[in-house]
Amino acid sequence: MKTFAWHVLILGGFYFIISLLSFFPQGAGADVASITISSIFFIMFVVLCFKKKYDFISRFQNKFAKTSNYLAALGFCEYFSIIFMLIPGMIYGYKAANAQYNGAEIPPAPMAYLTYVYYLYIVFLCLSVIWATYKSFRKK
């Protein structure tokens, strides 16, 4: 896999871990921290798209090869959740808020879609961790 793809996946893995740790506290401070972390991730992702490589990720990948495999696996799952859960959720939220503002009927949430995507996310999470374990410990 190319260096750019690895760096994108590892950056997503870092975001997965940091956002998971910032998920537990509650309150306004936690909300600000979550928005800040998401904004930093988005900015770093855009810069990476133009730069094609981060030196700190390259050093991390060379020094901790096994950990970077796990971060890449978690990054794959994070991008899956962004594309198939976060973006459709934002679109639905916009449509529901717009309907509520205009006094129209709020569209029902697509529960079947959410259920299937959630189960697929769990399957991808398990398979990606298995892949990272295989790549780190069994593959020579």
Side-chain angles (χ1 to χ4, degrees), residues 2 72 134:
K2 298 201 180 229
Y134 173 76

Side-chain angles (χ1 to χ4, degrees), residues 7-131:
H7 284 216
V8 167
L9 290 175
I10 292 172
L11 183 65
F14 278 125
Y15 176 66
F16 181 92
I17 298 295
I18 292 170
S19 66
L20 183 69
L21 293 175
S22 70
F23 177 73
F24 294 113
Q26 299 294 320
D31 292 340
V32 171
S34 177
I35 291 170
T36 305
I37 291 168
S38 298
S39 300
I40 290 171
F41 167 72
F42 180 72
I43 291 168
M44 289 183 73
F45 179 79
V46 170
V47 169
L48 181 62
C49 288
F50 288 112
K51 202 175 171 183
K52 304 291 185 206
K53 183 179 179 181
Y54 276 132
D55 290 332
F56 77 92
I57 293 179
S58 294
R59 286 192 306 267
F60 182 84
Q61 191 175 6
N62 291 334
K63 193 171 183 179
F64 305 106
K66 293 178 183 177
T67 306
S68 65
N69 289 335
Y70 285 101
L71 285 174
L74 293 175
F76 173 77
C77 293
E78 184 64 32
Y79 289 119
F80 177 83
S81 71
I82 288 171
I83 292 169
F84 292 106
M85 288 189 241
L86 181 68
I87 293 173
M90 291 171 65
I91 293 169
Y92 170 75
Y94 172 76
K95 288 181 179 180
N98 199 15
Q100 184 179 13
Y101 178 74
N102 292 329
E105 183 179 341
I106 298 174
M111 294 308 291
Y113 172 78
L114 294 173
T115 303
Y116 292 136
V117 170
Y118 176 73
Y119 288 140
L120 197 59
Y121 176 77
I122 296 298
V123 167
F124 280 153
L125 185 63
C126 293
L127 289 177
S128 64
V129 170
I130 290 170
W131 169 83

